[in-house]
Amino acid sequence: MIQLQNLHKEYRAGKHSIPALTGINMNIEKGEIFGVIGHSGAGKSTLIRCINLLERPTSGKVIVDGVDLTSLDARSLQEQRRYMGMIFQHFNLLSSATVAENVAFPLELAKRPKVEIRRKVNELLALVGLEAHQDKYPAQLSGGQKQRVGIARALANDPKVLLCDEATSALDPQTTNSILTLLLDINKKLHITIVLITHEMHVIRSICDRVGVIDGGKIVEMGKVADVFLKPQHSTTREFIEQVADFADLQEAVVREKSAEQRTIVRITFLGEQTYQPILFQTMKETDVPFSILQGTISRMKDTPYGQLVAELEGDESRVENAVKMLRLHGLDVEVIEWAG
């Protein structure tokens, strides 16, 4: 659905050029939710604005549904943008227009018939749960309600792509979860491709299929959320994982147990249905290796359950090695943090 090919973006500051994006290559599949995560200033907002050419790349191609946007004239580009909705961090609503009028605005610009506009507005307000608020003004709405209006407005022209520019960062955690649930529901009902940028790993973990990690204007890691989340390769990725992983005191646990003899500390990752199976207990019983759990968490990534445990295994090295081997044969990912001795 979306292809970014060797994308570069530079800004001019007098005689100097400041690189914002460098060599971005990315393929986003039709119907998936793709997340881009990065720190402030990493280039993520520039990246998403390059997709609909609100920011024109210095070089490279942006291809959406087979159309090279970078080759279009202004009129043709404007026509293609109708098929790409966008929602913003600060909502960007018309303060003097009602909820219904805000949603109707892009349809009026497209010169749709009034009967069609009214039908579409009612349909979208029902989709985002704001039927009872159609005559209110933005100042009368909560932050979450304003974002729902923004989502409805972005969907007005039946876009193929929905771009979300920090859509939840101005919201409290409970409201953020409700907006993420709504976006997931929209993705499933309308089969729309969603690209969202964020600095919150919770957002990526909750609804995304794949993720790209951006740092210094470059994509430093990309893949399925489960792979990136459970086996981060880049230091920036690991920083974001720490936002949601309950292992802040891991180093303390390692230091505390390091002096003990005949003990090994491992991190065990469960994914899918194995998360709820007693694999650890059964394996340790079969191999006669006593264990204790130092830390652990069970959660979900979109629709997939996962768990991570930090456990202390007792016994000599050969017995522990056998236990680790058995765990891996059961399909678990086992990382040895500290071997005995």
Side-chain angles (χ1 to χ4, degrees), residues 316-328:
D316 60 63
E317 187 171 333
S318 62
R319 287 168 59 196
V320 170
E321 282 183 342
N322 184 47
V324 169
K325 180 180 178 181
M326 292 290 292
L327 289 171
R328 289 171 175 163

Side-chain angles (χ1 to χ4, degrees), residues 295-335:
Q295 292 171 306
T297 184
I298 293 178
S299 190
R300 301 185 75 85
M301 281 180 284
K302 198 174 181 179
D303 299 322
T304 304
Y306 77 94
Q308 284 191 320
L309 298 177
V310 174
E312 176 187 273
L313 310 183
E314 298 183 27
D316 60 63
E317 187 171 333
S318 62
R319 287 168 59 196
V320 170
E321 282 183 342
N322 184 47
V324 169
K325 180 180 178 181
M326 292 290 292
L327 289 171
R328 289 171 175 163
L329 287 174
H330 281 292
L332 303 185
D333 183 82
V334 184
E335 174 191 357

Side-chain angles (χ1 to χ4, degrees), residues 76-94:
S76 299
L77 177 59
Q78 188 62 33
E79 181 64 27
Q80 288 298 317
R81 280 187 180 139
R82 291 182 180 176
Y83 302 108
M84 291 185 285
M86 191 165 189
I87 59 177
F88 304 89
Q89 177 181 358
H90 297 296
F91 321 125
N92 289 15
L93 301 180
L94 302 171

Side-chain angles (χ1 to χ4, degrees), residues 258-273:
K258 190 172 182 180
S259 60
E261 296 181 0
Q262 303 298 310
R263 296 187 181 185
T264 299
I265 296 176
V266 297
R267 190 200 321 256
I268 305 167
T269 300
F270 305 78
L271 190 62
E273 290 306 311

Side-chain angles (χ1 to χ4, degrees), residues 37-201:
I37 190 168
H39 294 297
S40 297
K44 56 187 185 295
S45 289
T46 301
L47 176 59
I48 201 169
R49 291 169 67 86
C50 280
I51 293 177
N52 60 6
L53 264 64
L54 288 178
E55 294 278 0
R56 182 168 283 274
T58 304
S59 63
K61 291 185 178 182
V62 178
I63 301 172
V64 179
D65 201 22
V67 178
D68 180 3
L69 302 187
T70 52
S71 68
L72 301 179
D73 58 36
R75 189 170 187 175
S76 299
L77 177 59
Q78 188 62 33
E79 181 64 27
Q80 288 298 317
R81 280 187 180 139
R82 291 182 180 176
Y83 302 108
M84 291 185 285
M86 191 165 189
I87 59 177
F88 304 89
Q89 177 181 358
H90 297 296
F91 321 125
N92 289 15
L93 301 180
L94 302 171
S95 60
S96 60
T98 66
V99 167
E101 289 167 345
N102 266 281
V103 177
F105 184 64
L107 295 168
E108 292 169 349
L109 289 178
K111 301 186 183 331
R112 301 285 184 87
K114 289 185 177 180
V115 174
E116 180 183 337
I117 291 175
R118 172 48 54 189
R119 177 191 61 77
K120 190 66 175 178
V121 169
N122 289 339
E123 176 186 311
L124 290 170
L125 291 179
L127 178 65
V128 300
L130 291 179
E131 307 100 305
H133 301 279
Q134 61 179 326
D135 295 324
K136 291 183 178 179
Y137 290 87
Q140 298 173 285
L141 303 177
S142 68
Q145 290 170 333
K146 289 177 184 177
Q147 195 57 283
R148 288 172 181 267
V149 178
I151 292 171
R153 181 184 59 186
L155 296 174
N157 281 314
D158 299 315
K160 302 172 185 176
V161 174
L162 181 62
L163 305 176
C164 306
D165 188 0
E166 294 276 14
T168 61
S169 63
L171 306 175
D172 62 75
Q174 184 176 355
T175 306
T176 291
N177 288 337
S178 71
I179 294 298
L180 294 178
T181 299
L182 175 61
L183 290 175
L184 188 57
D185 187 50
I186 288 169
N187 171 254
K188 290 178 178 179
K189 286 181 178 178
L190 305 182
H191 307 291
I192 188 172
T193 304
I194 298 178
V195 182
L196 62 85
I197 65 168
T198 182
H199 60 272
E200 300 172 291
M201 195 63 197

Side-chain angles (χ1 to χ4, degrees), residues 234-255:
H234 195 272
S235 58
T236 299
T237 311
R238 288 192 287 270
E239 289 177 18
F240 284 112
I241 299 304
E242 289 173 2
Q243 292 180 357
V244 290
D246 189 23
F247 296 106
D249 299 323
L250 174 58
Q251 190 61 39
E252 180 184 336
V254 172
V255 172

